[in-house]
Amino acid sequence: MNPWPPVPPMMGMGMGMPHRMPMHMNMTLVPTMQMQIPGPKTSAESDWISHTKPDGKVYYYNKVTHQSTWDKPDELKTPLEKALAASPWKEYKTEDGRKYYSNSVTKETVWKVPAEYQAIIDSHEIVVPLPQLDAVPHAPSTAAAAHVQMNFETKEEAEVAFKEMLEAAEVGIDWTWEQTMRHVINKPMYRSLKTLAERKTAFQEFVDDKRRKIKKAEEEKLAFERDTLFGLLGQMGSDLNTHLRYKKFSETFADDEAFLSIDANRRVALFEEFMIEFRKKEAEEKRALRRENIERFKHILKTTPSITCTTTWNEAQHLWASHPDFLPPSPNSVNPLHSMEAIDILVTFEDHMKQLEAAFMENLEKQRAAERRVERKNRDAFRTLMDRFIGDGVIHMHAKWKDVVPFLRGEKALEDMVGQGGSSPLELFWDVIVALEDKYLPVRKEVMDVVRANGIQVTVQTVFGDFEHEFRRFHRPGRHPIDHAHLKAVFEELMVKAVNKQKEEEHRRKEKKTKKRMDAFKSVLKKLDDPKVTSQSTWEQIRIVVKGSEEYADLDEDQRVVVFDKLVRRLKEKEQESHSSSSDGEDDLERVTKKRKSSNKDRERGDRERERSERGERERDHRDRDHRSRDDDDKRHKKRRSVRSEDESERGDKDRSRRRGSIPEDANDANRGEKEDGEL
């Protein structure tokens, strides 16, 4: 399907096909013969009159009804035009002049002439009959005797003859085929081509060729005028510049014949065209000079080694001013670089400084990357040394840094770590301890669960072999493998608890024995008669009396003073109670005595309760000490983790701050090391 729609109705149907007249090439035509060609009514016989607009369009006007239309009225149509109007096929043209055909019923569109449409054209061919010559001979005349013989050997010769006929008829390039056909249909050479299609093709070729010739002649004329005017502008000399005006140019060549031979409007247009190109050329020359100066100035900056990334603008001006390429080539000459604008010099200098800074930062980054690589390798070597110490038993879960330092003396891994950034040897040591604790704690929990569930007791007399035998007897393999080292660590922890428990029991027994001795010494003090212990007695007085007793020897000086002070304080309390109750008389003596006895009983009862309470607290302390020990281990583990986390956080802050300075720390050393090695 053709993509172009049919021409709108307002454009008219002026594209109808003309008559086609077959002719016989051997027929003899007499110039005086008259052709009988049927046709439509003329304008004189019809009420319709045709008119042509200035743009070449034809419209029709009815002088009776005063109606105007673009479509040709039926009264003026030829039989062929009427037949084609009745056909559903219509002929149209594209914008570039190509013809196509559209069916108004089926909406089909084709490029090739439809058979139905061609049949209508063929059925209305114009036949030109030959007139019957009079049998009576006439006197021959020159005009009447002239016969036209149309015998062409080739079709090309016939086309040439047809085109010569069109040229002789002065057919214009804006003529339509219908207009041309009406003008040349009675000419003999009209029949040099046999079919209507051939004639229309030849006509179109003639029009296109004539149009090309006219266009070429016009172009040649314009080119000649352009060369002439441009030559005159070239004669302006020093007056020819970007500020030249047409008024001055026209005044200069006002009497020149070549100047006057060109149309005035054409002269103005050519002058503006020349000035536009002249200004463009001058601007391009300036841009080329500017680019050349910039490149030369860049060369000066690159070949001046004293200009570095730290050179200031004022310093650089003195440096390049003494460069040989910046100096004038001779005393009386001018270096083109001196015509550079200050902004170009500044921008070029800034770009050069950016390149120097980029090169400096690139070299610095390479140097820092090499340093980080060495630091990472040093840390890896120190970690390897820590692993070796773990295998040798130097480092274990309860190891202290001060215990490991003696083994590190003289080690190259430690010496290489000193003074470098990132994690310190102490931090790497604590990382190892935390890792050991992470492995040990799950195992410890599983071992302690077995010990508690099966009542395995560990005392100071228990040996590790017996403990391991009992544990293996009750243990069922879990998700954490129990190796010999971890099991021994748990046994040592239980052994420490057993020793502490034994020490506490011994301490309690010792305290109980001491208290008995203090009570015995108190009894000796109460039983003294000369001198008797009163509230006013002093220890120096009493010590001389009891110094030789066995109870005195069982206690140390501090314990004796404590017993004596308690006894004196009690005597003072009794005297105060006696003084306060004497005013009540003899009647209250019995009551005071009972109250004193009751108070003594309460005091003794309170002392016994305090002893039981202290004993219970000691037992609870003993029971809780095991839990506290375990909690202390957990807290210590958490504290170490917290310290490690804080250290890592601090190192992360340092990493970020140093990363701003292009110095990253040792976080993820392994991955970074692989990446850095890959980059190298």
Side-chain angles (χ1 to χ4, degrees):
M1 293 295 291
N2 192 285
W4 293 291
V7 179
M10 63 183 300
M11 295 299 295
M13 296 298 293
M15 299 174 63
M17 300 297 290
H19 303 294
R20 190 175 67 170
M21 299 182 295
M23 59 179 297
H24 303 284
M25 301 303 298
N26 296 327
M27 66 184 299
T28 301
L29 299 180
V30 181
T32 57
M33 68 175 59
Q34 300 293 328
M35 300 181 196
Q36 302 297 326
I37 302 174
K41 293 181 180 181
T42 63
S43 299
E45 299 173 349
S46 174
D47 296 333
W48 291 92
I49 302 174
S50 63
H51 296 278
T52 304
K53 295 183 65 178
D55 59 358
K57 292 185 178 180
V58 180
Y59 69 97
Y60 302 90
Y61 174 74
N62 192 307
K63 57 187 177 181
V64 178
T65 62
H66 304 288
Q67 179 183 0
S68 298
T69 180
W70 292 106
D71 299 330
K72 191 174 184 180
D74 294 338
E75 295 179 9
L76 301 180
K77 290 181 180 179
T78 63
L80 176 59
E81 291 174 340
K82 292 180 180 180
L84 292 176
S87 173
W89 288 98
K90 307 297 179 184
E91 183 183 83
Y92 302 97
K93 283 187 178 180
T94 62
E95 294 180 358
D96 57 355
R98 295 184 61 187
K99 294 181 180 180
Y100 65 99
Y101 303 85
S102 177
N103 193 309
S104 60
V105 178
T106 63
K107 307 301 180 182
E108 182 182 5
T109 303
V110 295
W111 290 108
K112 189 177 180 182
V113 181
E116 179 182 353
Y117 193 91
Q118 187 63 43
I120 296 174
I121 296 175
D122 295 338
S123 65
H124 289 78
E125 291 180 345
I126 301 175
V127 180
V128 182
L130 292 175
Q132 297 294 330
L133 298 178
D134 192 357
V136 180
H138 296 278
S141 62
T142 304
H147 296 282
V148 180
Q149 189 74 21
M150 291 187 295
N151 293 325
F152 303 103
E153 294 181 0
T154 61
K155 180 180 178 181
E156 287 74 13
E157 294 179 357
E159 289 181 355
V160 171
F162 186 82
K163 292 178 181 179
E164 290 177 351
M165 174 202 67
L166 296 177
E167 183 67 30
E170 298 181 354
V171 175
I173 58 176
D174 56 344
W175 286 26
T176 63
W177 169 246
E178 290 78 6
Q179 183 181 357
T180 303
M181 185 179 62
R182 286 195 298 269
H183 191 68
V184 301
I185 195 171
N186 293 327
K187 296 182 181 296
M189 285 302 170
Y190 178 81
R191 300 167 185 80
S192 60
L193 295 176
K194 296 181 179 181
T195 63
L196 181 62
E198 292 177 350
R199 295 169 191 153
K200 293 182 69 174
T201 302
F203 163 75
Q204 190 63 41
E205 291 178 356
F206 169 79
V207 172
D208 295 341
D209 185 60
K210 189 173 183 179
R211 186 179 289 111
R212 284 193 296 269
K213 290 180 180 179
I214 294 173
K215 183 178 180 181
K216 183 178 180 181
E218 182 67 21
E219 290 177 352
E220 292 177 353
K221 178 183 178 183
L222 295 177
F224 175 77
E225 292 177 349
R226 180 183 292 102
D227 295 340
T228 301
L229 191 70
F230 286 5
L232 295 176
L233 285 167
Q235 300 176 14
M236 292 294 295
S238 60
D239 293 333
L240 181 59
N241 52 56
T242 55
H243 304 291
L244 179 63
R245 296 291 182 265
Y246 177 76
K247 181 179 180 181
K248 183 176 182 179
F249 171 66
S250 61
E251 291 175 353
T252 304
F253 297 97
D255 299 331
D256 191 272
E257 294 181 358
F259 178 79
L260 297 175
S261 65
I262 305 174
D263 182 70
N265 295 332
R266 178 64 179 166
R267 290 197 298 265
V268 175
L270 291 174
F271 175 81
E272 294 297 334
E273 179 183 348
F274 177 84
M275 293 306 298
I276 291 174
E277 294 297 328
F278 181 78
R279 294 188 184 99
K280 288 182 179 178
K281 183 178 180 181
E282 184 171 348
E284 182 59 32
E285 291 177 354
K286 290 182 179 180
R287 286 193 292 270
L289 178 60
R290 177 174 175 266
R291 289 193 294 268
E292 181 180 356
N293 289 338
I294 290 175
E295 292 300 325
R296 292 179 60 190
F297 187 67
K298 287 181 179 179
H299 175 72
I300 291 176
L301 295 175
K302 291 179 180 178
T303 54
T304 305
S306 54
I307 297 179
T308 63
C309 61
T310 59
T311 304
T312 62
W313 167 251
N314 293 330
E315 296 172 350
Q317 293 183 67
H318 297 289
L319 294 174
W320 74 60
S322 60
H323 196 280
D325 293 343
F326 196 80
L327 298 175
S330 62
N332 297 327
S333 62
V334 178
N335 194 324
L337 288 176
H338 295 175
S339 62
M340 286 184 65
E341 296 183 3
I343 186 66
D344 290 339
I345 296 177
L346 179 60
V347 170
T348 306
F349 174 74
E350 289 179 346
D351 293 340
H352 181 69
M353 297 303 293
K354 290 179 181 178
Q355 294 176 3
L356 293 179
E357 290 174 358
F360 175 79
M361 294 304 297
E362 183 179 358
N363 294 333
L364 181 61
E365 182 61 28
K366 290 181 179 179
Q367 179 181 356
R368 290 173 176 173
E371 293 176 356
R372 290 194 298 271
R373 192 176 301 108
V374 172
E375 292 175 356
R376 175 180 54 80
K377 291 181 178 180
N378 292 339
R379 285 190 291 270
D380 293 341
F382 189 80
R383 292 190 181 99
T384 303
L385 179 62
M386 294 291 100
D387 294 338
R388 180 163 63 85
F389 282 178
I390 292 174
D392 296 343
V394 176
I395 296 178
H396 49 82
M397 185 179 63
H398 302 292
K400 304 297 181 183
W401 173 249
K402 63 181 180 179
D403 301 330
V404 181
V405 169
F407 296 93
L408 293 174
R409 291 194 178 97
E411 293 289 345
K412 186 177 182 301
L414 178 63
E415 295 176 356
D416 294 338
M417 284 284 295
V418 175
Q420 77 172 26
S423 298
S424 64
L426 178 60
E427 292 172 341
L428 295 178
F429 169 76
W430 283 118
D431 290 342
V432 172
I433 296 301
V434 171
L436 292 175
E437 290 179 349
D438 291 340
K439 295 180 181 179
Y440 170 73
L441 290 179
V443 175
R444 177 185 180 279
K445 182 178 183 304
E446 186 171 348
V447 172
M448 293 302 295
D449 291 342
V450 173
V451 170
R452 294 190 188 98
N454 298 278
I456 300 176
Q457 298 294 330
V458 176
T459 64
V460 293
Q461 290 80 21
T462 306
V463 296
F464 176 70
D466 297 341
F467 173 77
E468 184 178 16
H469 175 73
E470 289 295 319
F471 175 79
R472 300 293 182 189
R473 187 164 63 90
F474 295 106
H475 178 252
R476 297 293 179 268
R479 57 180 179 177
H480 300 289
I482 310 300
D483 57 6
H484 178 79
H486 285 162
L487 185 61
K488 187 174 182 180
V490 177
F491 171 76
E492 291 176 353
E493 183 179 346
L494 295 175
M495 180 59 67
V496 170
K497 293 179 180 179
V499 171
N500 293 336
K501 183 178 180 181
Q502 184 180 16
K503 290 180 179 179
E504 290 177 357
E505 291 178 352
E506 291 177 356
H507 179 69
R508 285 197 301 272
R509 287 195 297 270
K510 185 177 179 180
E511 286 182 347
K512 188 176 181 181
K513 185 176 180 181
T514 301
K515 189 175 186 308
K516 289 182 178 179
R517 291 176 179 177
M518 292 175 71
D519 292 341
F521 183 67
K522 180 181 178 181
S523 178
V524 170
L525 293 177
K526 287 181 178 181
K527 294 178 180 180
L528 286 177
D529 292 333
D530 187 20
K532 188 175 182 180
V533 179
T534 64
S535 60
Q536 303 300 323
S537 300
T538 62
W539 170 242
E540 287 75 11
Q541 297 172 353
I542 303 303
R543 181 174 55 183
I544 298 174
V545 178
V546 296
K547 187 174 183 180
S549 63
E550 181 180 356
E551 289 81 358
Y552 177 88
D554 292 337
L555 299 177
D556 57 23
E557 185 66 17
D558 293 336
Q559 293 173 347
R560 300 182 196 115
V561 172
V562 170
V563 174
F564 175 77
D565 290 341
K566 285 185 177 181
L567 178 60
V568 171
R569 185 170 55 253
R570 180 57 189 156
L571 292 174
K572 289 180 179 180
E573 291 176 357
K574 290 181 178 180
E575 290 179 358
Q576 291 176 358
E577 292 175 359
S578 175
H579 178 70
S580 61
S581 60
S582 60
S583 59
D584 295 336
E586 295 297 333
D587 296 336
D588 297 332
L589 179 60
E590 185 178 0
R591 181 172 56 82
V592 171
T593 303
K594 291 181 180 179
K595 184 177 181 181
R596 185 180 299 113
K597 291 181 180 180
S598 175
S599 177
N600 292 335
K601 292 181 181 179
D602 293 339
R603 187 179 297 107
E604 292 175 358
R605 189 183 303 111
D607 293 338
R608 288 194 297 272
E609 290 178 356
R610 279 195 299 273
E611 291 177 0
R612 285 196 299 270
S613 177
E614 291 176 358
R615 187 167 54 254
E617 289 177 358
R618 286 194 295 271
E619 293 176 354
R620 285 194 298 272
D621 291 341
H622 176 70
R623 289 194 300 270
D624 295 340
R625 189 168 288 110
D626 183 25
H627 299 286
R628 285 198 300 273
S629 177
R630 185 164 58 252
D631 293 340
D632 291 341
D633 293 338
D634 295 339
K635 289 180 181 179
R636 182 179 59 182
H637 176 68
K638 291 180 180 179
K639 183 176 180 180
R640 289 177 179 175
R641 281 183 173 272
S642 176
V643 172
R644 181 187 179 191
S645 176
E646 291 176 357
D647 293 341
E648 292 178 351
S649 176
E650 183 177 357
R651 291 200 301 273
D653 295 338
K654 293 181 181 178
D655 291 344
R656 287 189 291 273
S657 62
R658 296 188 180 185
R659 195 175 295 114
R660 298 190 188 100
S662 303
I663 308 179
E665 276 295 340
D666 62 321
N668 299 322
D669 280 338
N671 296 334
R672 185 183 297 109
E674 295 176 0
K675 182 178 179 182
E676 291 172 350
D677 295 339
E679 290 176 353
L680 290 178

